[in-house]
mmCIF file of all heavy atoms in Angstrom:
data_model
loop_
_atom_site.group_PDB
_atom_site.id
_atom_site.type_symbol
_atom_site.label_atom_id
_atom_site.label_comp_id
_atom_site.label_asym_id
_atom_site.label_seq_id
_atom_site.Cartn_x
_atom_site.Cartn_y
_atom_site.Cartn_z
ATOM 1 N N LEU A 95 -25.724 -82.208 -121.191
ATOM 2 C CA LEU A 95 -25.493 -83.293 -120.149
ATOM 3 C C LEU A 95 -25.785 -82.916 -118.719
ATOM 4 O O LEU A 95 -26.131 -83.612 -117.905
ATOM 5 C CB LEU A 95 -24.211 -83.909 -120.399
ATOM 6 C CG LEU A 95 -23.773 -84.980 -119.652
ATOM 7 C CD1 LEU A 95 -24.616 -86.329 -119.955
ATOM 8 C CD2 LEU A 95 -22.315 -85.501 -119.855
ATOM 9 N N LEU A 96 -25.456 -81.598 -118.537
ATOM 10 C CA LEU A 96 -25.597 -81.019 -117.204
ATOM 11 C C LEU A 96 -26.311 -79.586 -117.342
ATOM 12 O O LEU A 96 -25.886 -78.866 -118.033
ATOM 13 C CB LEU A 96 -24.083 -80.798 -116.724
ATOM 14 C CG LEU A 96 -23.793 -80.626 -115.360
ATOM 15 C CD1 LEU A 96 -22.374 -81.097 -115.058
ATOM 16 C CD2 LEU A 96 -23.965 -79.189 -114.991
ATOM 17 N N GLU A 97 -27.318 -79.529 -116.642
ATOM 18 C CA GLU A 97 -28.153 -78.305 -116.511
ATOM 19 C C GLU A 97 -28.020 -77.511 -115.351
ATOM 20 O O GLU A 97 -28.112 -77.945 -114.254
ATOM 21 C CB GLU A 97 -29.627 -78.595 -116.762
ATOM 22 C CG GLU A 97 -30.020 -79.400 -118.025
ATOM 23 C CD GLU A 97 -30.004 -78.523 -119.296
ATOM 24 O OE1 GLU A 97 -30.069 -77.426 -119.070
ATOM 25 O OE2 GLU A 97 -30.178 -79.015 -120.367
ATOM 26 N N GLN A 98 -27.811 -76.125 -115.491
ATOM 27 C CA GLN A 98 -27.826 -75.177 -114.345
ATOM 28 C C GLN A 98 -28.847 -74.377 -114.423
ATOM 29 O O GLN A 98 -29.375 -73.853 -115.455
ATOM 30 C CB GLN A 98 -26.476 -74.343 -114.389
ATOM 31 C CG GLN A 98 -25.275 -75.154 -113.773
ATOM 32 C CD GLN A 98 -24.135 -74.191 -113.460
ATOM 33 O OE1 GLN A 98 -23.150 -74.265 -114.134
ATOM 34 N NE2 GLN A 98 -24.342 -73.347 -112.491
ATOM 35 N N SER A 99 -29.452 -74.025 -113.130
ATOM 36 C CA SER A 99 -30.441 -73.033 -113.138
ATOM 37 C C SER A 99 -30.371 -72.188 -111.823
ATOM 38 O O SER A 99 -29.850 -72.715 -110.928
ATOM 39 C CB SER A 99 -31.866 -73.666 -113.158
ATOM 40 O OG SER A 99 -32.069 -74.434 -112.129
ATOM 41 N N PRO A 100 -30.945 -70.934 -111.793
ATOM 42 C CA PRO A 100 -31.219 -70.151 -112.986
ATOM 43 C C PRO A 100 -30.042 -69.798 -113.739
ATOM 44 O O PRO A 100 -28.939 -70.019 -113.335
ATOM 45 C CB PRO A 100 -31.939 -69.083 -112.344
ATOM 46 C CG PRO A 100 -31.241 -68.740 -111.087
ATOM 47 C CD PRO A 100 -30.835 -70.151 -110.600
ATOM 48 N N GLN A 101 -30.195 -69.206 -114.967
ATOM 49 C CA GLN A 101 -29.122 -68.764 -115.801
ATOM 50 C C GLN A 101 -28.598 -67.434 -115.216
ATOM 51 O O GLN A 101 -27.388 -67.138 -115.403
ATOM 52 C CB GLN A 101 -29.591 -68.470 -117.213
ATOM 53 C CG GLN A 101 -29.857 -69.804 -118.068
ATOM 54 C CD GLN A 101 -30.356 -69.437 -119.365
ATOM 55 O OE1 GLN A 101 -31.364 -68.802 -119.639
ATOM 56 N NE2 GLN A 101 -29.496 -69.925 -120.440
ATOM 57 N N PHE A 102 -29.622 -66.599 -114.712
ATOM 58 C CA PHE A 102 -29.101 -65.243 -114.232
ATOM 59 C C PHE A 102 -29.919 -65.091 -112.949
ATOM 60 O O PHE A 102 -31.096 -65.307 -112.817
ATOM 61 C CB PHE A 102 -29.485 -64.261 -115.237
ATOM 62 C CG PHE A 102 -29.051 -62.813 -114.784
ATOM 63 C CD1 PHE A 102 -27.796 -62.469 -114.853
ATOM 64 C CD2 PHE A 102 -29.983 -61.833 -114.462
ATOM 65 C CE1 PHE A 102 -27.358 -61.146 -114.487
ATOM 66 C CE2 PHE A 102 -29.813 -60.712 -114.002
ATOM 67 C CZ PHE A 102 -28.420 -60.307 -114.154
ATOM 68 N N LEU A 103 -29.354 -64.377 -111.928
ATOM 69 C CA LEU A 103 -29.865 -64.055 -110.716
ATOM 70 C C LEU A 103 -29.291 -62.636 -110.242
ATOM 71 O O LEU A 103 -28.017 -62.443 -110.164
ATOM 72 C CB LEU A 103 -29.536 -65.086 -109.600
ATOM 73 C CG LEU A 103 -30.252 -65.394 -108.373
ATOM 74 C CD1 LEU A 103 -31.691 -65.438 -108.870
ATOM 75 C CD2 LEU A 103 -29.654 -66.453 -107.607
ATOM 76 N N SER A 104 -30.330 -61.791 -109.879
ATOM 77 C CA SER A 104 -29.890 -60.367 -109.443
ATOM 78 C C SER A 104 -30.632 -60.200 -108.155
ATOM 79 O O SER A 104 -31.905 -60.274 -108.030
ATOM 80 C CB SER A 104 -30.345 -59.363 -110.486
ATOM 81 O OG SER A 104 -30.017 -58.062 -110.010
ATOM 82 N N ILE A 105 -29.840 -60.029 -107.079
ATOM 83 C CA ILE A 105 -30.387 -59.859 -105.682
ATOM 84 C C ILE A 105 -29.904 -58.747 -105.074
ATOM 85 O O ILE A 105 -28.748 -58.217 -105.419
ATOM 86 C CB ILE A 105 -30.365 -61.253 -104.910
ATOM 87 C CG1 ILE A 105 -28.941 -61.380 -104.681
ATOM 88 C CG2 ILE A 105 -31.015 -62.349 -105.519
ATOM 89 C CD1 ILE A 105 -28.543 -62.648 -103.705
ATOM 90 N N GLN A 106 -30.471 -58.316 -103.902
ATOM 91 C CA GLN A 106 -29.965 -57.363 -102.955
ATOM 92 C C GLN A 106 -29.005 -57.944 -102.034
ATOM 93 O O GLN A 106 -29.001 -59.161 -101.600
ATOM 94 C CB GLN A 106 -31.111 -56.660 -102.193
ATOM 95 C CG GLN A 106 -31.937 -55.765 -103.218
ATOM 96 C CD GLN A 106 -31.196 -54.577 -103.627
ATOM 97 O OE1 GLN A 106 -31.263 -54.283 -104.967
ATOM 98 N NE2 GLN A 106 -30.447 -53.884 -102.802
ATOM 99 N N GLU A 107 -28.062 -57.139 -101.565
ATOM 100 C CA GLU A 107 -27.011 -57.612 -100.585
ATOM 101 C C GLU A 107 -27.808 -58.073 -99.337
ATOM 102 O O GLU A 107 -28.807 -57.383 -98.925
ATOM 103 C CB GLU A 107 -26.086 -56.481 -100.075
ATOM 104 C CG GLU A 107 -24.896 -56.789 -99.682
ATOM 105 C CD GLU A 107 -23.866 -55.705 -99.477
ATOM 106 O OE1 GLU A 107 -24.295 -54.424 -99.485
ATOM 107 O OE2 GLU A 107 -22.668 -55.860 -99.395
ATOM 108 N N GLY A 108 -27.488 -59.072 -98.721
ATOM 109 C CA GLY A 108 -28.215 -59.581 -97.504
ATOM 110 C C GLY A 108 -29.164 -60.714 -97.831
ATOM 111 O O GLY A 108 -29.619 -61.544 -96.930
ATOM 112 N N GLU A 109 -29.599 -60.914 -99.032
ATOM 113 C CA GLU A 109 -30.556 -61.892 -99.398
ATOM 114 C C GLU A 109 -29.942 -63.225 -99.599
ATOM 115 O O GLU A 109 -28.645 -63.374 -99.693
ATOM 116 C CB GLU A 109 -31.237 -61.522 -100.700
ATOM 117 C CG GLU A 109 -32.077 -60.353 -100.556
ATOM 118 C CD GLU A 109 -32.923 -60.129 -101.854
ATOM 119 O OE1 GLU A 109 -32.579 -60.753 -102.868
ATOM 120 O OE2 GLU A 109 -33.861 -59.283 -101.836
ATOM 121 N N ASN A 110 -30.723 -64.296 -99.381
ATOM 122 C CA ASN A 110 -30.188 -65.631 -99.651
ATOM 123 C C ASN A 110 -30.594 -66.110 -101.083
ATOM 124 O O ASN A 110 -31.465 -65.641 -101.677
ATOM 125 C CB ASN A 110 -30.839 -66.645 -98.626
ATOM 126 C CG ASN A 110 -30.568 -66.271 -97.163
ATOM 127 O OD1 ASN A 110 -29.525 -65.615 -96.879
ATOM 128 N ND2 ASN A 110 -31.462 -66.697 -96.327
ATOM 129 N N LEU A 111 -29.793 -67.198 -101.541
ATOM 130 C CA LEU A 111 -30.050 -67.596 -102.851
ATOM 131 C C LEU A 111 -29.597 -69.128 -102.979
ATOM 132 O O LEU A 111 -28.729 -69.537 -102.266
ATOM 133 C CB LEU A 111 -29.351 -66.807 -103.952
ATOM 134 C CG LEU A 111 -27.851 -66.802 -103.884
ATOM 135 C CD1 LEU A 111 -27.178 -67.607 -105.110
ATOM 136 C CD2 LEU A 111 -27.151 -65.500 -103.663
ATOM 137 N N THR A 112 -30.159 -69.728 -104.002
ATOM 138 C CA THR A 112 -29.740 -71.157 -104.196
ATOM 139 C C THR A 112 -29.540 -71.384 -105.799
ATOM 140 O O THR A 112 -30.381 -70.900 -106.621
ATOM 141 C CB THR A 112 -30.754 -72.054 -103.714
ATOM 142 O OG1 THR A 112 -30.943 -71.993 -102.260
ATOM 143 C CG2 THR A 112 -30.311 -73.657 -104.020
ATOM 144 N N VAL A 113 -28.550 -71.888 -106.266
ATOM 145 C CA VAL A 113 -28.281 -72.305 -107.541
ATOM 146 C C VAL A 113 -28.206 -73.826 -107.617
ATOM 147 O O VAL A 113 -27.797 -74.502 -106.839
ATOM 148 C CB VAL A 113 -26.938 -71.689 -107.974
ATOM 149 C CG1 VAL A 113 -26.553 -72.111 -109.304
ATOM 150 C CG2 VAL A 113 -26.888 -70.284 -107.868
ATOM 151 N N TYR A 114 -28.860 -74.233 -108.783
ATOM 152 C CA TYR A 114 -29.029 -75.753 -108.900
ATOM 153 C C TYR A 114 -28.280 -76.293 -110.067
ATOM 154 O O TYR A 114 -28.049 -75.648 -111.111
ATOM 155 C CB TYR A 114 -30.484 -76.085 -109.089
ATOM 156 C CG TYR A 114 -31.375 -75.623 -108.012
ATOM 157 C CD1 TYR A 114 -32.065 -74.348 -107.963
ATOM 158 C CD2 TYR A 114 -31.513 -76.460 -106.824
ATOM 159 C CE1 TYR A 114 -32.713 -74.020 -106.856
ATOM 160 C CE2 TYR A 114 -32.362 -76.088 -105.719
ATOM 161 C CZ TYR A 114 -32.801 -74.803 -105.783
ATOM 162 O OH TYR A 114 -33.619 -74.424 -104.656
ATOM 163 N N CYS A 115 -27.810 -77.504 -110.017
ATOM 164 C CA CYS A 115 -27.123 -78.281 -111.091
ATOM 165 C C CYS A 115 -27.649 -79.577 -111.149
ATOM 166 O O CYS A 115 -27.801 -80.371 -110.123
ATOM 167 C CB CYS A 115 -25.600 -78.370 -110.704
ATOM 168 S SG CYS A 115 -24.557 -79.162 -111.859
ATOM 169 N N ASN A 116 -28.116 -80.083 -112.331
ATOM 170 C CA ASN A 116 -28.845 -81.338 -112.518
ATOM 171 C C ASN A 116 -28.331 -82.039 -113.730
ATOM 172 O O ASN A 116 -28.045 -81.452 -114.638
ATOM 173 C CB ASN A 116 -30.232 -81.053 -112.675
ATOM 174 C CG ASN A 116 -30.990 -80.520 -111.473
ATOM 175 O OD1 ASN A 116 -31.125 -81.125 -110.497
ATOM 176 N ND2 ASN A 116 -31.226 -79.305 -111.573
ATOM 177 N N SER A 117 -28.467 -83.465 -113.717
ATOM 178 C CA SER A 117 -28.080 -84.220 -114.741
ATOM 179 C C SER A 117 -29.040 -85.501 -114.738
ATOM 180 O O SER A 117 -29.432 -85.958 -113.745
ATOM 181 C CB SER A 117 -26.566 -84.589 -114.727
ATOM 182 O OG SER A 117 -26.229 -85.548 -115.769
ATOM 183 N N SER A 118 -29.145 -86.159 -115.955
ATOM 184 C CA SER A 118 -29.844 -87.315 -116.040
ATOM 185 C C SER A 118 -28.904 -88.510 -115.792
ATOM 186 O O SER A 118 -29.400 -89.615 -115.556
ATOM 187 C CB SER A 118 -30.520 -87.526 -117.443
ATOM 188 O OG SER A 118 -29.534 -87.432 -118.478
ATOM 189 N N SER A 119 -27.749 -88.200 -115.757
ATOM 190 C CA SER A 119 -26.559 -89.224 -115.634
ATOM 191 C C SER A 119 -26.118 -89.097 -114.104
ATOM 192 O O SER A 119 -26.125 -88.110 -113.563
ATOM 193 C CB SER A 119 -25.553 -89.075 -116.543
ATOM 194 O OG SER A 119 -25.921 -89.345 -117.792
ATOM 195 N N VAL A 120 -25.441 -90.145 -113.565
ATOM 196 C CA VAL A 120 -24.835 -90.095 -112.294
ATOM 197 C C VAL A 120 -23.450 -89.474 -112.304
ATOM 198 O O VAL A 120 -22.680 -89.962 -113.212
ATOM 199 C CB VAL A 120 -24.868 -91.503 -111.771
ATOM 200 C CG1 VAL A 120 -23.963 -91.500 -110.396
ATOM 201 C CG2 VAL A 120 -26.150 -92.193 -111.542
ATOM 202 N N PHE A 121 -23.321 -88.598 -111.502
ATOM 203 C CA PHE A 121 -21.938 -87.978 -111.462
ATOM 204 C C PHE A 121 -21.041 -88.824 -110.530
ATOM 205 O O PHE A 121 -21.415 -89.443 -109.592
ATOM 206 C CB PHE A 121 -21.964 -86.557 -110.567
ATOM 207 C CG PHE A 121 -22.782 -85.566 -111.339
ATOM 208 C CD1 PHE A 121 -23.894 -85.117 -110.686
ATOM 209 C CD2 PHE A 121 -22.334 -84.937 -112.419
ATOM 210 C CE1 PHE A 121 -24.739 -84.130 -111.272
ATOM 211 C CE2 PHE A 121 -23.104 -83.910 -112.941
ATOM 212 C CZ PHE A 121 -24.332 -83.515 -112.543
ATOM 213 N N SER A 122 -19.783 -89.149 -111.052
ATOM 214 C CA SER A 122 -18.854 -89.745 -110.212
ATOM 215 C C SER A 122 -18.224 -88.665 -109.208
ATOM 216 O O SER A 122 -17.775 -89.215 -108.108
ATOM 217 C CB SER A 122 -17.696 -90.412 -111.034
ATOM 218 O OG SER A 122 -17.093 -89.279 -111.860
ATOM 219 N N SER A 123 -18.233 -87.458 -109.598
ATOM 220 C CA SER A 123 -17.819 -86.451 -108.594
ATOM 221 C C SER A 123 -18.397 -85.136 -109.292
ATOM 222 O O SER A 123 -18.646 -85.064 -110.392
ATOM 223 C CB SER A 123 -16.403 -86.240 -108.562
ATOM 224 O OG SER A 123 -15.747 -85.851 -109.674
ATOM 225 N N LEU A 124 -18.494 -84.194 -108.325
ATOM 226 C CA LEU A 124 -19.130 -82.914 -108.907
ATOM 227 C C LEU A 124 -18.376 -81.706 -108.290
ATOM 228 O O LEU A 124 -17.996 -81.713 -107.015
ATOM 229 C CB LEU A 124 -20.558 -82.689 -108.516
ATOM 230 C CG LEU A 124 -21.201 -81.518 -109.124
ATOM 231 C CD1 LEU A 124 -22.479 -81.796 -110.006
ATOM 232 C CD2 LEU A 124 -21.395 -80.379 -108.125
ATOM 233 N N GLN A 125 -18.030 -80.641 -108.981
ATOM 234 C CA GLN A 125 -17.241 -79.639 -108.492
ATOM 235 C C GLN A 125 -18.171 -78.154 -108.727
ATOM 236 O O GLN A 125 -18.784 -78.148 -109.819
ATOM 237 C CB GLN A 125 -15.909 -79.409 -109.200
ATOM 238 C CG GLN A 125 -15.087 -80.681 -109.000
ATOM 239 C CD GLN A 125 -13.803 -80.665 -109.885
ATOM 240 O OE1 GLN A 125 -13.435 -79.733 -110.337
ATOM 241 N NE2 GLN A 125 -13.127 -81.865 -109.775
ATOM 242 N N TRP A 126 -17.782 -77.232 -107.862
ATOM 243 C CA TRP A 126 -18.441 -75.929 -108.117
ATOM 244 C C TRP A 126 -17.275 -74.995 -108.320
ATOM 245 O O TRP A 126 -16.293 -75.000 -107.456
ATOM 246 C CB TRP A 126 -19.314 -75.577 -106.872
ATOM 247 C CG TRP A 126 -20.681 -76.131 -106.933
ATOM 248 C CD1 TRP A 126 -21.090 -77.319 -106.172
ATOM 249 C CD2 TRP A 126 -21.831 -75.646 -107.596
ATOM 250 N NE1 TRP A 126 -22.320 -77.545 -106.442
ATOM 251 C CE2 TRP A 126 -22.902 -76.588 -107.229
ATOM 252 C CE3 TRP A 126 -22.137 -74.600 -108.469
ATOM 253 C CZ2 TRP A 126 -24.212 -76.476 -107.737
ATOM 254 C CZ3 TRP A 126 -23.428 -74.471 -108.888
ATOM 255 C CH2 TRP A 126 -24.288 -75.267 -108.536
ATOM 256 N N TYR A 127 -17.378 -74.161 -109.239
ATOM 257 C CA TYR A 127 -16.334 -73.052 -109.433
ATOM 258 C C TYR A 127 -16.977 -71.675 -109.508
ATOM 259 O O TYR A 127 -18.214 -71.586 -109.831
ATOM 260 C CB TYR A 127 -15.821 -73.282 -110.840
ATOM 261 C CG TYR A 127 -14.778 -74.510 -110.958
ATOM 262 C CD1 TYR A 127 -15.380 -75.711 -111.226
ATOM 263 C CD2 TYR A 127 -13.398 -74.342 -110.854
ATOM 264 C CE1 TYR A 127 -14.520 -76.840 -111.381
ATOM 265 C CE2 TYR A 127 -12.633 -75.406 -111.030
ATOM 266 C CZ TYR A 127 -13.106 -76.752 -111.301
ATOM 267 O OH TYR A 127 -12.386 -77.765 -111.414
ATOM 268 N N ARG A 128 -16.177 -70.645 -109.252
ATOM 269 C CA ARG A 128 -16.549 -69.271 -109.402
ATOM 270 C C ARG A 128 -15.640 -68.753 -110.326
ATOM 271 O O ARG A 128 -14.438 -68.841 -110.223
ATOM 272 C CB ARG A 128 -16.561 -68.655 -107.964
ATOM 273 C CG ARG A 128 -16.951 -67.117 -108.142
ATOM 274 C CD ARG A 128 -17.292 -66.656 -106.717
ATOM 275 N NE ARG A 128 -17.414 -65.089 -106.688
ATOM 276 C CZ ARG A 128 -16.349 -64.167 -106.449
ATOM 277 N NH1 ARG A 128 -15.221 -64.820 -106.182
ATOM 278 N NH2 ARG A 128 -16.504 -63.020 -106.599
ATOM 279 N N GLN A 129 -16.187 -67.886 -111.251
ATOM 280 C CA GLN A 129 -15.375 -67.238 -112.371
ATOM 281 C C GLN A 129 -15.807 -65.699 -112.367
ATOM 282 O O GLN A 129 -16.906 -65.296 -112.370
ATOM 283 C CB GLN A 129 -15.529 -67.862 -113.559
ATOM 284 C CG GLN A 129 -14.768 -67.352 -114.701
ATOM 285 C CD GLN A 129 -14.806 -68.011 -116.061
ATOM 286 O OE1 GLN A 129 -15.914 -68.655 -116.418
ATOM 287 N NE2 GLN A 129 -13.862 -68.030 -117.027
ATOM 288 N N GLU A 130 -14.701 -64.884 -112.269
ATOM 289 C CA GLU A 130 -14.901 -63.516 -112.486
ATOM 290 C C GLU A 130 -14.470 -63.116 -113.949
ATOM 291 O O GLU A 130 -13.734 -63.784 -114.498
ATOM 292 C CB GLU A 130 -14.180 -62.820 -111.377
ATOM 293 C CG GLU A 130 -14.648 -63.108 -109.947
ATOM 294 C CD GLU A 130 -13.884 -62.172 -108.969
ATOM 295 O OE1 GLU A 130 -13.844 -60.935 -109.155
ATOM 296 O OE2 GLU A 130 -13.458 -62.580 -107.947
ATOM 297 N N PRO A 131 -14.988 -61.886 -114.233
ATOM 298 C CA PRO A 131 -14.615 -61.539 -115.755
ATOM 299 C C PRO A 131 -13.137 -61.394 -116.009
ATOM 300 O O PRO A 131 -12.460 -60.843 -115.201
ATOM 301 C CB PRO A 131 -15.255 -60.131 -115.863
ATOM 302 C CG PRO A 131 -16.514 -60.252 -114.896
ATOM 303 C CD PRO A 131 -15.996 -61.124 -113.833
ATOM 304 N N GLY A 132 -12.673 -61.967 -117.009
ATOM 305 C CA GLY A 132 -11.353 -61.988 -117.432
ATOM 306 C C GLY A 132 -10.389 -62.878 -116.607
ATOM 307 O O GLY A 132 -9.148 -62.818 -116.818
ATOM 308 N N GLU A 133 -10.981 -63.709 -115.911
ATOM 309 C CA GLU A 133 -10.220 -64.674 -115.076
ATOM 310 C C GLU A 133 -10.717 -66.092 -115.429
ATOM 311 O O GLU A 133 -11.738 -66.359 -116.020
ATOM 312 C CB GLU A 133 -10.489 -64.411 -113.576
ATOM 313 C CG GLU A 133 -10.086 -62.996 -113.153
ATOM 314 C CD GLU A 133 -8.373 -62.864 -113.259
ATOM 315 O OE1 GLU A 133 -7.772 -63.983 -113.149
ATOM 316 O OE2 GLU A 133 -7.960 -61.705 -113.452
ATOM 317 N N GLY A 134 -9.827 -67.080 -114.939
ATOM 318 C CA GLY A 134 -10.283 -68.426 -115.067
ATOM 319 C C GLY A 134 -11.164 -68.883 -113.959
ATOM 320 O O GLY A 134 -11.072 -68.249 -112.965
ATOM 321 N N PRO A 135 -11.870 -69.973 -113.973
ATOM 322 C CA PRO A 135 -12.741 -70.528 -112.984
ATOM 323 C C PRO A 135 -11.780 -70.836 -111.709
ATOM 324 O O PRO A 135 -10.657 -71.433 -111.967
ATOM 325 C CB PRO A 135 -13.387 -71.696 -113.555
ATOM 326 C CG PRO A 135 -13.256 -71.558 -114.903
ATOM 327 C CD PRO A 135 -12.038 -70.802 -115.222
ATOM 328 N N VAL A 136 -12.274 -70.565 -110.536
ATOM 329 C CA VAL A 136 -11.523 -71.056 -109.311
ATOM 330 C C VAL A 136 -12.400 -72.078 -108.592
ATOM 331 O O VAL A 136 -13.642 -71.743 -108.383
ATOM 332 C CB VAL A 136 -11.341 -69.854 -108.500
ATOM 333 C CG1 VAL A 136 -10.725 -70.083 -107.057
ATOM 334 C CG2 VAL A 136 -10.496 -68.728 -109.093
ATOM 335 N N LEU A 137 -11.928 -73.195 -108.279
ATOM 336 C CA LEU A 137 -12.410 -74.247 -107.576
ATOM 337 C C LEU A 137 -12.935 -73.884 -106.115
ATOM 338 O O LEU A 137 -12.159 -73.302 -105.323
ATOM 339 C CB LEU A 137 -11.579 -75.483 -107.555
ATOM 340 C CG LEU A 137 -12.137 -76.711 -106.801
ATOM 341 C CD1 LEU A 137 -13.256 -77.285 -107.652
ATOM 342 C CD2 LEU A 137 -11.183 -77.834 -106.681
ATOM 343 N N LEU A 138 -14.213 -74.129 -105.848
ATOM 344 C CA LEU A 138 -14.833 -73.776 -104.527
ATOM 345 C C LEU A 138 -14.837 -75.032 -103.634
ATOM 346 O O LEU A 138 -14.414 -75.101 -102.587
ATOM 347 C CB LEU A 138 -16.222 -73.242 -104.584
ATOM 348 C CG LEU A 138 -16.298 -71.787 -105.360
ATOM 349 C CD1 LEU A 138 -17.771 -71.459 -105.471
ATOM 350 C CD2 LEU A 138 -15.537 -70.745 -104.590
#
Side-chain angles (χ1 to χ4, degrees):
Chain A
L95 185 60
L96 198 154
E97 300 280 349
Q98 274 190 253
S99 63
Q101 288 182 297
F102 181 77
L103 202 52
S104 180
I105 61 171
Q106 291 295 133
E107 202 169 23
E109 292 184 351
N110 302 331
L111 67 113
T112 303
V113 176
Y114 301 92
C115 178
N116 298 282
S117 176
S118 56
S119 298
V120 174
F121 297 110
S122 55
S123 66
L124 187 130
Q125 301 174 13
W126 285 94
Y127 290 82
R128 178 168 167 266
Q129 185 177 20
E130 296 191 45
E133 300 292 330
V136 175
L137 179 65
L138 296 174

